Amino acid sequence: MKRYALLLVLLSPYVQGQMLDANDPLRRVILDQMRANIGYPTDIQFVVKQLSVSGSQAYFCATAKTNDGSGSAKINGKTVVYDRELQQSAEGFWTTVSNFDSYVDSPAQAQCHSTIQDEPAASGCQNVGLYDAERKPLLDAVRRSYQGAIAQPRFVVSHLCTTGKMAYFCGRLEGEESQDRQGMHYYDAIMARNAKAEWQALMVETKTVEKCNFSGSASAITEQKLLEAVNQPLAHKIDDSIKVEMLTQFLQFQQAVKKADMAYLKAHIVFPLENVSDTFLAGTPDEHQQSITPALFDQYAQQIRDGLKEIALLGVNLTKKQVTDFRVNSLTPLEQARKYFPAEEDGRFYYNDGTKKVPVEGTCDSVGSGDFEDGTLAVFIGTDSNLLIPGLSEVCEGGMRVEFTLQQGTLMLTRIDFFG
């Protein structure tokens, strides 16, 4: 690692925003350090869309693929676009200053958010680099909040910054996920110093989808925003009367989806709607946007409504105060009447047509479900393996989780997460 630091000194300075070509030694240095920073093994290669350097700043945007030719490296079924602004430390190492990572269905959809900025912002939360003395105390505070079975939990950091009095962390816990990187555990934590000037976690959220509560530039994460997040009241327990009210209004939301009542839908969504543009606005000039604003909703209302249309398929039982599941069988009645047998290849089946074996592929059904969780009504809309001829899990198991909460007596769509 020491030779990297020396090499960087010899190569500097670079002019503003100079692109690094494939033969530039600094390019290989940054890629190796990014691979280590993200936690990828050496057999994972970056497919670089942009890599430019200006003095001690750099802009890095890339997807990743496996070296064995099996395709893009995926997390929870999605291709990750590693989209980051980097800063060179005094020791010569490159660490993330601002994280704009996003998720797409395929590498062809990857979009870089920006190019290198002239100067890093000096206000707000300041990035804590890999070799910053404050890094270990902050990560130790996150580790103390961990209650799982791993003796010495380790984290892959997406965000780690401090305002001096408070700090913010978002990252992935290593060790509990399977080899195919499914079922990962992500942590989102806000910390502050206690009376002994030691860091302690004030609020920790765990999730299975890497969706940081604060994303983008670290400088935009102000101390006031962190305080407001901590001071938000805890989710209240939902009694039966509130469940009935939420479900009654949910029925109205479903009707608005069915009838394409755009005015109603717009009035019952909390904007900006974060990190869904690449899905809801796919194929449009605005698919790269970080969030859907009211103006973007007006422009693409029909397309956004189509992305939500399967919500209307969920059943509602007011007597039992429940959302009832749905499953849309992808097989025709004729196909359902056949008897199928598993073939040697995973995800393939066959049926007998007289003396002839007819091969077919496993397929996916559209499914939906819903339940009350921590003060919210959470519904899942997605796909699952067909019960008769199941499709491969990595293809079929995925979808979106949509959260609804009561705000001043009105049911509002407040958040959407994608996974699978």
Side-chain angles (χ1 to χ4, degrees):
M1 296 297 287
K2 291 291 186 182
R3 69 178 184 274
Y4 288 169
L6 176 60
L7 182 59
L8 292 177
V9 171
L10 295 174
L11 292 171
S12 295
Y14 276 78
V15 297
Q16 171 69 24
Q18 178 174 330
M19 299 295 294
L20 302 184
D21 62 37
N23 297 319
D24 196 313
L26 180 56
R27 177 187 173 102
R28 184 174 60 185
V29 170
I30 293 178
L31 293 183
D32 284 345
Q33 292 188 8
M34 287 302 299
R35 189 180 292 108
N37 196 3
I38 293 168
Y40 271 145
T42 56
D43 62 347
I44 296 293
Q45 299 296 316
F46 286 118
V47 180
V48 177
K49 295 179 71 65
Q50 289 189 44
L51 180 54
S52 56
V53 170
S54 175
S56 62
Q57 292 180 265
Y59 176 64
F60 170 84
C61 181
T63 58
K65 67 177 182 178
T66 56
N67 229 0
D68 59 9
S70 61
S72 64
K74 293 180 180 292
I75 295 180
N76 289 341
K78 292 281 189 178
T79 296
V80 187
V81 183
Y82 295 100
D83 192 353
R84 305 183 178 195
E85 294 174 5
L86 312 177
Q87 181 77 35
Q88 184 185 13
S89 70
E91 297 84 3
F93 296 98
W94 295 91
T95 56
T96 298
V97 176
S98 299
N99 185 317
F100 301 91
D101 289 2
S102 60
Y103 294 82
V104 294
D105 291 324
S106 70
Q109 297 175 335
Q111 295 284 340
C112 300
H113 91 279
S114 183
T115 57
I116 190 168
Q117 303 297 313
D118 290 337
E119 293 291 339
S123 60
C125 202
Q126 299 299 304
N127 180 67
V128 179
L130 193 62
Y131 301 98
D132 195 305
E134 202 75 89
R135 189 178 180 93
K136 185 178 185 301
L138 287 168
L139 292 179
D140 283 344
V142 180
R143 292 186 186 101
R144 287 193 295 271
S145 71
Y146 170 71
Q147 298 179 351
I150 300 175
Q152 295 181 324
R154 293 169 53 86
F155 293 94
V156 176
V157 177
S158 295
H159 283 278
L160 184 61
C161 66
T162 176
T163 67
K165 296 179 180 179
M166 302 189 72
Y168 175 65
F169 166 85
C170 180
R172 169 169 58 85
L173 174 67
E174 285 189 327
E176 289 188 344
E177 71 270 17
S178 57
Q179 290 184 352
D180 59 0
R181 301 175 73 83
Q182 302 294 315
M184 291 182 175
H185 294 265
Y186 299 95
Y187 273 63
D188 201 294
I190 296 175
M191 294 164 280
R193 295 185 187 275
N194 59 20
K196 298 180 180 179
E198 299 171 336
W199 289 107
Q200 67 177 34
L202 299 181
M203 186 173 72
V204 178
E205 181 181 355
T206 61
K207 57 191 84 173
T208 57
V209 177
E210 187 176 24
K211 183 179 177 67
C212 298
N213 290 333
F214 295 95
S215 59
S217 172
S219 62
I221 307 172
T222 64
E223 191 167 294
Q224 182 61 35
K225 288 182 179 179
L226 296 177
L227 283 170
E228 289 174 355
V230 170
N231 291 331
Q232 285 181 348
L234 296 175
H236 58 275
K237 183 178 179 180
I238 303 179
D239 60 27
D240 286 348
S241 64
I242 294 177
K243 288 182 180 180
V244 170
E245 179 61 30
M246 293 179 76
L247 290 175
T248 300
Q249 293 193 39
F250 180 65
L251 282 169
Q252 296 169 356
F253 189 92
Q254 289 180 299
Q255 286 299 313
V257 171
K258 286 181 181 179
K259 296 178 180 180
D261 185 344
M262 307 308 183
Y264 184 97
L265 294 177
K266 182 180 180 181
H268 290 79
I269 295 176
V270 175
F271 296 103
L273 197 56
E274 303 286 350
N275 298 320
V276 296
S277 302
D278 58 344
T279 299
F280 285 150
L281 305 186
T284 74
D286 293 300
E287 64 180 351
H288 65 283
Q289 296 290 338
Q290 294 295 310
S291 59
I292 294 179
T293 62
L296 283 174
F297 181 91
D298 291 339
Q299 188 174 354
Y300 300 106
Q302 185 61 54
Q303 189 162 327
I304 295 169
R305 175 263 175 188
D306 289 345
L308 298 170
K309 65 182 179 181
E310 289 188 325
I311 284 179
L313 300 179
L314 288 164
V316 173
N317 188 321
L318 291 176
T319 302
K320 293 184 178 181
K321 295 169 280 293
Q322 293 176 346
V323 174
T324 55
D325 301 352
F326 76 82
R327 176 182 287 269
V328 179
N329 197 318
S330 60
L331 302 179
T332 67
L334 175 61
E335 291 170 331
Q336 294 179 51
R338 293 174 179 145
K339 185 173 182 179
Y340 296 91
F341 305 90
E344 292 183 2
E345 184 180 350
D346 288 345
R348 294 189 65 85
F349 300 82
Y350 69 90
Y351 65 90
N352 293 318
D353 185 4
T355 60
K356 182 181 178 181
K357 290 184 177 180
V358 181
V360 294
E361 290 188 358
T363 187
C364 313
D365 292 340
S366 296
V367 298
S369 60
D371 204 354
F372 292 98
E373 301 176 4
D374 298 328
T376 68
L377 173 60
V379 301
F380 167 80
I381 302 295
T383 56
D384 196 6
S385 294
N386 181 268
L387 300 178
L388 194 58
I389 49 173
L392 295 174
S393 60
E394 58 265 31
V395 176
C396 291
E397 296 177 5
M400 64 179 180
R401 181 181 183 274
V402 186
E403 284 188 5
F404 295 86
T405 61
L406 277 179
Q407 297 192 357
Q408 297 181 335
T410 300
L411 190 73
M412 302 291 290
L413 191 163
T414 55
R415 179 167 178 165
I416 298 177
D417 291 310
F418 291 92
F419 59 93

